[in-house]
Amino acid sequence: MTAIDVKARVVDSVCPYCGVGCALSWVVDTERNRILEARGRDGAANEGRLCVKGRYGFDYTTHAHRLTKPLIRREDAYPKGALSWDDNGPRRPGGPVDPETVLPHFREATWEEALERVGQGLRGIRDAHGGDALAGFGSAKGSNEEAYLFQKLVRAGFGTNNVDHCTRLCHASSVAALLEGIGSGGVTNIVRDIERADVALITGCNPTENHPVAATFMKDAAANGTELLVVNTRRPRIADYAAMYLEIRPGTDVAFYNAMMHVIINEGLTDDAFIAARTENFEAIRENVQEYSPESVAELVGVDAERITEAARRFGRANAAMLFWGMGISQHTHGTDNARCLIALAMITGNTGRPGTGLHPLRGQNNVQGASDAGLIPMMYPDYQKVSDSGARARFEALWGRSLSPEPGRTVTEITDGALDGTIRGMYVLGENPFVSDPDVEKVRKALGTLEFLVVQDIFLTETAEFADVILPGSAFAEKTGTVTNTDRRVQVGRQALQPPGESRQDWQIICDIAERIGYPMRYPDVSAVFDEFAAATGSYAGLSHEVLGDRGRWYPCPDPEHSEGEPIVFEETFPRGRALLVPARQSPPVEATDAAYPLVLNTGRVLEHWHTGTMTRRSAALHGISPEGFVEIHPDDAAAYGVADGGWVEVTSRRGHIRIRARLRDRVARGSVFIPMHFREACANVLTHPAVDPVGKIPAFKYCAVRLEPVVAEDRA
């Protein structure tokens, strides 16, 4: 087919993958309802750049596995259980869920029948057992409008605050520490402000693979004189551009950063004027770090005292220093303590509120910032207003016309526990796949199987959907219009390029349809009216609208949206809580120690080509072609000790389960550690991970569990 044969139009939108929020344009074949090409636009976050996922990962929208009709579980398919999975894992090796193994257990239904069934199921549990017997998992892959409506439905319709989403699995501990320390969960400076930094600390993250376009600006900054200090347990590629790379042992972040602060304080590298004017509790920090000298922690963290001292001096002497971190900081049982250390490090050196400074936890999914802003978390209304605050509760009761619960709801893992003990009886899951994404898959499997009623709304059959009573076909990102908020706090409009296939519907409208069926009507003329209600209920988004956002978007806060793009740097003079609270943290042992039986530490994460549980990217031909299967990365010295060959099959076992997977011998992973990406269901990393959570952020410890590794002979692989 030549270009002249195609009736094409260009639609400006936003990339649906990571939190960088790259502006792009889709070239659409209008006759065949498919995207032909993705082009980078000159957006504030990307300057025309795209990564491999943004440029090539769009064909999942037309994949043959798309859900196109509502489905109801057949009566003979009870009791519920995993359909494509047994005690040894997926029944078919390779690839995402195959509908042929699942669809025989469901029948097609009309929308009216399916919605009525959903209404009966959710309403019946609420009326018989109270709203707290229900829960909802929303999605950071959806829009701000969908997130706002979803949490409104759960709170005002179900009558509970049991609503959460994947921020609980990525940056909940960071947000907890930021809210405690400065009174805001958002970043203080945008990614591209690194161009004005003398030093940038990049810790617990792998931006070249997880935030690739952001990483290009980091590399540009390094080429122009910014010193990168990269700290990690597994060498990320950004370390190739670093002035210093420091490989610390897993779980020793608190000791390492306390040692840096020890040097900075004892050598007089603090910003005393900033400390006096804008912080409180500094003396507690000073006292706490005295026992964390570089010499005293060097053996624990695995870094020479001289190198810890050098890193501290580089950071402390910088006129402008920025801090970036990822899930290597947050996904620990001490994740909140890790983030507290980084906040204190920035504050004692006066590195916030100015160009080239600030705190920036790199957000994972495309709208994890916006979904959190919109209230898709159990203890906060939109804009982080506490559900326990009577004034905030009164405002939302007036806005939503219902009495609201004053009790904070349950988090993702607490909802799983509730399903197991019978206190959570019904769930509504929108665009999430906890079966694969949550820790300890066997525990999640049992929990999903105990639910009296489960409705799943998605674009593909997922492992979670296999437990559903009703499955509702939603719309892909390219099939809807709505706003998303990136890691920089930039609010942008994603515009509809395609029509949803078959009978699938817009997700925001499905949420409203369900609300109608449970007796809480939510009616809006269009999606922009939903945004207007959300923005009016917040201080952060006040004044913004779809029309004002235009094609480029705005940073929030944006006091004058008609004449300004918003504020890329915030808290120049004060913090939302007034003075920053400095909170001392102490090194704590891991939740699960290694021993002779389980001598290796497992770290999980992502690869460049894939996303989350692979639902979208493993159905993209180019991305699947580049990265078709999972792997376990092991240091060559460890591999030699265990008799493992590069490319050979191994069995990885934890105290919770085991998987079989190919080995990759790489010296980027530290001795004593292994790395497994989370995307591949046939080698599901979360079969192994520990369900323990940080006591404050309630985030699981995905970055640390004890495992062993054994080679598998070919005849035993089947």
Side-chain angles (χ1 to χ4, degrees):
M1 180 181 290
T2 64
I4 201 167
D5 297 321
V6 176
K7 291 184 179 179
R9 66 188 180 103
V10 177
V11 179
D12 291 341
S13 192
V14 186
C15 180
Y17 288 107
C18 81
V20 174
C22 294
L24 55 70
S25 296
W26 281 311
V27 180
V28 181
D29 178 344
T30 55
E31 288 189 346
R32 299 192 178 191
N33 193 41
R34 64 177 184 175
I35 297 170
L36 301 173
E37 180 185 358
R39 301 170 179 169
R41 285 195 293 129
D42 186 21
N46 64 313
E47 205 176 56
R49 308 175 191 189
L50 291 178
C51 79
V52 65
K53 289 193 291 292
R55 194 171 297 280
Y56 301 111
F58 52 76
D59 52 329
Y60 72 90
T61 56
T62 53
H63 196 279
H65 289 178
R66 281 295 300 273
L67 291 167
T68 60
K69 293 178 180 291
L71 302 172
I72 292 177
R73 193 177 202 90
R74 294 183 180 276
E75 292 300 323
D76 59 2
Y78 289 90
K80 295 186 290 184
L83 302 174
S84 68
W85 195 285
D86 59 28
D87 290 339
N88 294 313
R91 291 184 176 135
R92 293 190 183 186
V97 173
D98 185 345
E100 290 186 10
T101 64
V102 178
L103 287 179
H105 301 270
F106 292 84
R107 62 176 177 83
E108 293 180 356
T110 65
W111 271 101
E112 183 59 35
E113 182 187 10
L115 289 169
E116 186 58 32
R117 182 75 171 269
V118 172
Q120 290 174 353
L122 297 175
R123 190 175 63 242
I125 292 172
R126 179 197 63 191
D127 294 348
H129 304 284
D132 287 336
L134 294 173
F137 285 172
S139 176
K141 302 301 298 171
S143 66
N144 288 322
E145 293 82 2
E146 292 160 3
Y148 175 77
L149 288 175
F150 191 88
Q151 61 86 38
K152 179 181 176 180
L153 167 66
V154 173
R155 291 190 157 106
F158 292 2
T160 182
N161 290 310
N162 293 337
V163 61
D164 210 350
H165 77 296
C166 73
T167 193
R168 191 66 45 206
L169 309 178
C170 58
H171 267 304
S173 53
S174 302
V175 171
L178 286 165
L179 288 169
E180 170 190 66
I182 64 176
S184 169
V187 303
T188 67
N189 292 54
I190 65 173
V191 168
R192 293 184 61 181
D193 209 31
I194 193 174
E195 299 163 356
R196 299 189 283 183
D198 300 314
V199 170
L201 175 62
I202 301 172
T203 178
C205 60
N206 183 7
T208 47
E209 295 190 60
N210 294 339
H211 302 87
V213 171
T216 66
F217 292 109
M218 295 175 180
K219 296 172 191 176
D220 290 347
N224 290 317
T226 300
E227 290 189 349
L228 306 185
L229 305 180
V230 178
V231 182
N232 216 312
T233 60
R234 170 180 177 256
R235 183 184 176 96
R237 291 187 173 90
I238 197 69
D240 296 343
Y241 302 84
M244 290 186 73
Y245 171 59
L246 301 106
E247 181 180 276
I248 65 173
R249 292 199 174 105
T252 63
D253 306 83
V254 168
F256 178 82
Y257 289 110
N258 277 346
M260 281 188 66
M261 287 190 281
H262 175 101
V263 174
I264 288 168
I265 291 172
N266 288 356
E267 295 193 1
L269 301 178
T270 54
D271 186 333
D272 294 339
F274 186 94
I275 291 170
R278 299 196 57 187
T279 74
E280 59 181 280
N281 209 35
F282 172 69
E283 287 305 319
I285 294 289
R286 182 202 297 274
E287 181 180 349
N288 182 63
V289 303
Q290 289 313 302
E291 64 184 84
Y292 290 90
S293 68
E295 293 77 14
S296 69
V297 305
E299 183 176 355
L300 172 68
V301 303
V303 179
D304 291 342
E306 294 79 8
R307 286 178 55 77
I308 298 173
T309 300
E310 181 185 354
R313 287 170 177 166
R314 285 177 184 257
F315 190 91
R317 290 170 179 168
N319 180 59
M322 242 181 134
L323 298 92
F324 295 93
W325 72 90
M327 285 168 271
I329 288 291
S330 60
Q331 288 180 335
H332 289 276
T333 53
H334 47 81
T336 303
D337 279 340
N338 290 348
R340 284 166 171 159
C341 288
L342 297 180
I343 294 167
L345 182 60
M347 297 303 157
I348 68 171
T349 53
N351 277 303
T352 190
R354 297 182 288 115
T357 70
L359 299 157
H360 196 120
L362 289 159
R363 265 35 183 210
Q365 297 203 42
N366 65 322
N367 198 38
V368 73
Q369 180 67 58
S372 299
D373 295 340
L376 209 57
I377 44 182
M379 63 289 295
M380 306 279 187
Y381 295 125
D383 210 21
Y384 308 98
Q385 301 174 70
K386 293 182 179 180
V387 300
S388 58
D389 183 309
S390 59
R393 191 166 61 254
R395 288 191 294 274
F396 282 100
E397 286 177 339
L399 178 63
W400 296 340
R402 287 288 173 94
S403 295
L404 301 175
S405 171
E407 299 299 324
R410 301 192 191 198
T411 63
V412 164
T413 56
E414 289 171 339
I415 289 169
T416 297
D417 291 337
L420 286 170
D421 68 24
T423 54
I424 298 292
R425 296 170 177 265
M427 283 186 64
Y428 176 13
V429 176
L430 167 57
E432 284 289 291
N433 189 15
F435 187 99
V436 176
S437 65
D438 288 13
D440 192 355
V441 161
E442 183 58 26
K443 178 180 178 180
V444 178
R445 174 179 166 182
K446 291 177 181 176
L448 291 172
T450 65
L451 291 171
E452 291 179 19
F453 186 81
L454 173 65
V455 53
V456 173
Q457 182 174 322
D458 217 313
I459 61 174
F460 294 112
L461 286 170
T462 63
E463 291 82 358
T464 302
E466 296 175 21
F467 293 84
D469 297 270
V470 179
I471 301 173
L472 303 176
S475 45
F477 189 83
E479 296 160 2
K480 63 182 74 173
T481 293
T483 61
V484 290
T485 307
N486 76 349
T487 191
D488 285 336
R489 293 176 283 100
R490 194 169 184 88
V491 189
Q492 302 177 91
V493 181
R495 302 190 186 280
Q496 184 174 355
L498 303 173
Q499 293 299 315
E503 296 179 20
S504 56
R505 292 184 178 180
Q506 295 282 328
D507 289 294
W508 76 270
Q509 293 174 328
I510 299 173
I511 297 169
C512 290
D513 289 337
I514 292 175
E516 187 88 27
R517 296 316 192 281
I518 66 167
Y520 181 66
M522 299 195 302
R523 301 188 181 110
Y524 300 89
D526 53 38
V527 73
S528 64
V530 181
F531 183 84
D532 290 345
E533 180 178 307
F534 159 54
T538 72
S540 299
Y541 287 68
L544 296 179
S545 66
H546 278 234
E547 183 179 0
V548 164
L549 293 173
D551 292 330
R552 282 183 58 83
R554 297 283 191 277
W555 290 295
Y556 79 75
C558 188
D560 185 13
E562 295 293 338
H563 302 95
S564 168
E565 285 198 286
E567 298 181 12
I569 302 173
V570 293
F571 317 141
E572 294 174 302
E573 296 180 358
T574 188
F575 298 105
R577 74 176 304 278
R579 291 172 177 262
L581 176 64
L582 307 184
V583 182
R586 301 186 63 80
Q587 177 68 30
S588 57
V591 67
E592 181 175 65
T594 56
D595 58 20
Y598 300 94
L600 300 170
V601 175
L602 169 65
N603 172 23
T604 68
R606 300 182 178 126
V607 298
L608 171 63
E609 297 83 9
H610 286 297
W611 192 249
H612 208 46
T613 63
T615 304
M616 295 154 57
T617 53
R618 298 195 75 189
R619 292 181 172 94
S620 170
L623 301 179
H624 177 71
I626 298 169
S627 181
E629 66 177 359
F631 58 88
V632 56
E633 205 170 69
I634 181 172
H635 193 279
D637 291 351
D638 287 335
Y642 295 114
V644 172
D646 192 27
W649 286 90
V650 297
E651 185 164 272
V652 186
T653 304
S654 77
R655 294 179 175 95
R656 286 152 297 283
H658 61 88
I659 61 173
R660 292 186 173 183
I661 191 169
R662 287 190 190 273
R664 286 187 185 176
L665 276 54
R666 301 290 189 272
D667 60 8
R668 66 183 297 200
V669 64
R671 293 178 183 87
S673 299
V674 295
F675 170 81
I676 299 177
M678 64 168 290
H679 318 290
F680 302 94
R681 67 189 299 267
E682 65 274 23
C684 183
N686 281 323
V687 167
L688 309 170
T689 51
H690 200 291
V693 299
D694 176 277
V696 180
K698 305 296 180 67
I699 190 169
F702 289 116
K703 298 299 183 186
Y704 199 111
C705 80
V707 299
R708 67 170 177 261
L709 188 147
E710 301 163 295
V712 176
V713 295
E715 56 266 28
D716 291 338
R717 249 197 330 111

